[in-house]
Amino acid sequence: MSSRPWAMVAVLAAGIAAGTINAIVGSGSLITFPTLLAVGLPPITANVSNNIGLVPGGVTGVLGYRAELEGQRGRLARLAPASVLGSLLGGLLLLNLPEQAFTTVVTVLIGLSCVMVLIQPRLSRWLSDRPRRAHGGPWLLLGVFAAGVYGGYFGAAQGVLLVGLLGIFLDEHLQRVNAAKNALTLLVNATAAVLYILVAKVDWRAVALVALGSMVGGYLGARLGRRLPAPILRGVIVCVGVVAIVKLVSG
């Protein structure tokens, strides 16, 4: 990574923006990853360093939503192994497959996530007359595993995917769903970060700048996101998902 002051300021600012967006919805990597490329990092090193740097921001985002996490410990304990195992598989795929291999699948997944977020209230009403498990059942477990694979591989917009899944399968309001999403994405990113530290090339200057920025952004994003009404939060989630699709398709 370039040691020029403008490059360091750009990465720090991108980290703040990414931490804020991740706490509210996810997809902060759509800001930090291109920024790291622009300051001279190769794609895999940028992806790895970005993932590690965003972990501290995930911690502050989870702490900011701790009130909404109350009563969800058992649910998250059931879903956590799926996130961890999925993340490990995704990280291994990143280190062994070309990035282009997942572009089409990722685009479809984000599009599907946006649709799920939009129809979640109507689908939840349709499901209200049917028995729903407190922890979401096996289909949610499988979906969380798949989201973990994607998060370990690249991760941008994994929050959109998780909000769609959790909102459909859980009988919870959107802010509690968002809090659970933050906890699961933190697990995914932290798991992948451990793997990358052990076996991949890391630019620690980039990690430090993204980490510092994302910690500040995670705190700010949690304060803002908790105050957003559900319809506005839903709209923000969908808009971010559409931007993610456009960026992935355009390359």
Side-chain angles (χ1 to χ4, degrees):
M1 172 185 159
S2 172
S3 59
R4 294 179 180 178
W6 70 264
M8 299 176 69
V9 170
V11 173
L12 179 64
I16 294 173
T20 303
I21 293 173
N22 279 344
I24 298 174
V25 53
S27 301
S29 290
L30 293 175
I31 298 174
T32 45
F33 180 67
T35 302
L36 292 176
L37 293 179
V39 298
L41 291 184
I44 297 299
T45 303
N47 197 13
V48 166
S49 304
N50 174 62
N51 180 286
I52 299 170
L54 288 177
V55 171
V59 173
T60 55
V62 168
L63 291 175
Y65 269 90
R66 58 187 178 276
E68 287 76 14
L69 285 170
E70 289 185 7
Q72 299 201 66
R73 179 177 297 180
R75 170 185 297 154
L76 292 173
R78 289 172 180 262
L79 296 174
S83 288
V84 170
L85 292 175
S87 180
L88 285 173
L89 177 56
L92 292 172
L93 289 173
L94 173 68
L95 299 173
N96 291 281
L97 292 177
E99 188 175 327
Q100 293 81 359
F102 264 30
T103 300
T104 301
V105 176
V106 166
T107 303
V108 172
L109 279 177
I110 296 174
L112 180 60
S113 303
C114 292
V115 172
M116 288 193 299
V117 171
L118 280 175
I119 69 172
Q120 183 259 321
R122 181 175 298 180
L123 192 57
S124 293
R125 288 193 295 270
W126 179 73
L127 290 171
S128 62
D129 296 330
R130 302 167 181 262
R132 281 200 282 180
R133 304 182 185 185
H135 303 298
W139 286 110
L140 177 58
L141 197 65
L142 182 61
V144 168
F145 172 78
V149 175
Y150 170 48
Y153 184 85
F154 182 48
Q158 67 168 312
V160 178
L161 178 59
L162 276 172
V163 167
L165 287 167
L166 295 170
I168 286 174
F169 286 101
L170 299 178
D171 188 15
E172 291 282 8
H173 64 75
L174 193 57
Q175 290 292 0
R176 281 176 61 82
V177 164
N178 203 37
K181 176 269 295 180
N182 283 345
L184 292 175
T185 54
L186 173 59
L187 272 177
V188 169
N189 289 341
T191 300
V194 172
L195 176 64
Y196 297 154
I197 289 171
L198 292 175
V199 300
K201 182 179 179 181
V202 179
D203 187 306
W204 289 106
R205 179 184 296 167
V207 168
L209 290 169
V210 173
L212 179 59
S214 71
M215 287 178 66
V216 175
Y219 173 77
L220 296 174
R223 289 180 63 88
L224 175 61
R226 294 177 67 234
R227 298 177 181 178
L228 290 177
I232 295 178
L233 180 58
R234 203 180 309 281
V236 171
I237 292 169
V238 172
C239 288
V240 170
V242 171
V243 171
I245 291 173
V246 171
K247 280 185 171 290
L248 286 167
V249 171
S250 65

